[in-house]
Amino acid sequence: MRILLVLGMILGLAACSTTTSGISIESSNQSVVIGNPNLANRLSIEQANVSVVNGLLKAGVPVTSQIDSDLNLQYRFYWYDAQGLEVSGSDSPWRQVVLHGKDTMTLQAVARSPQATQYRIYIRKADY
């Protein structure tokens, strides 16, 4: 599984835009798009956990620091319906976390609408 993740990261790096400032992971196929290769070298992303809680999609994405020092990160989820359209009001604010050296943390959120069947998470380095 890790080989697929690394391959996805390499392919994502080749196709990334210079305006992207972090890492994006899409739930439907676990594709990873890397806009910040420096962050990608410092962070490992595992297979996401997805469940339904009270009729709402819940996503958890485990991330692991590959360095000895703290990583100040921000992340946010976007939610999409079965047709791939963004669910109205689905954008959440950027959440800030500190991922300590060599530690693992699960970035998670619950959709606000039962129409959400897919998600995309964006992860970027915090500017503080």
Side-chain angles (χ1 to χ4, degrees), residues 2 15-18 21 31 61 76 79-80 90 94 98 105 111 116:
R2 236 169 210 236
C16 71
S17 165
T18 58
S21 61
S31 67
V61 179
R76 75 189 306 178
W79 303 94
Y80 300 91
S90 75
W94 286 99
V98 177
M105 166 186 297

Side-chain angles (χ1 to χ4, degrees), residues 15 20 26 50 61 98 105 112 127:
T20 306
E26 187 176 331
V50 179
V61 179
V98 177
M105 166 186 297
R112 297 182 204 164
D127 292 329

Side-chain angles (χ1 to χ4, degrees), residues 2 25 42-49 59-66 69-75 77 95-109 121 123-124 128:
R2 236 169 210 236
I25 301 126
R42 297 169 173 238
L43 198 61
S44 146
I45 302 163
E46 304 297 327
Q47 180 72 29
N49 305 309
V61 179
V63 295
T64 302
S65 169
Q66 299 298 309
S69 58
D70 291 351
L71 278 171
N72 296 313
L73 301 173
Q74 294 178 324
Y75 72 96
F77 282 83
R95 297 178 186 180
Q96 298 187 22
V97 296
V98 177
L99 182 59
H100 298 292
K102 303 291 184 181
D103 200 6
T104 298
M105 166 186 297
T106 300
L107 309 178
Q108 57 186 347
I121 181 175
I123 306 168
R124 67 183 184 187
Y128 60 89

Side-chain angles (χ1 to χ4, degrees), residues 2 5-6 9-10 13 22-23 32-45 64-69 71 73 99 102 123 125:
R2 236 169 210 236
L5 181 62
V6 171
M9 290 176 131
I10 292 169
L13 180 59
I23 299 172
V32 177
V33 177
I34 300 169
N36 182 334
N38 185 34
L39 180 59
N41 289 332
R42 297 169 173 238
L43 198 61
S44 146
I45 302 163
T64 302
S65 169
Q66 299 298 309
I67 62 173
D68 293 324
S69 58
L71 278 171
L73 301 173
L99 182 59
K102 303 291 184 181
I123 306 168
K125 191 171 181 206

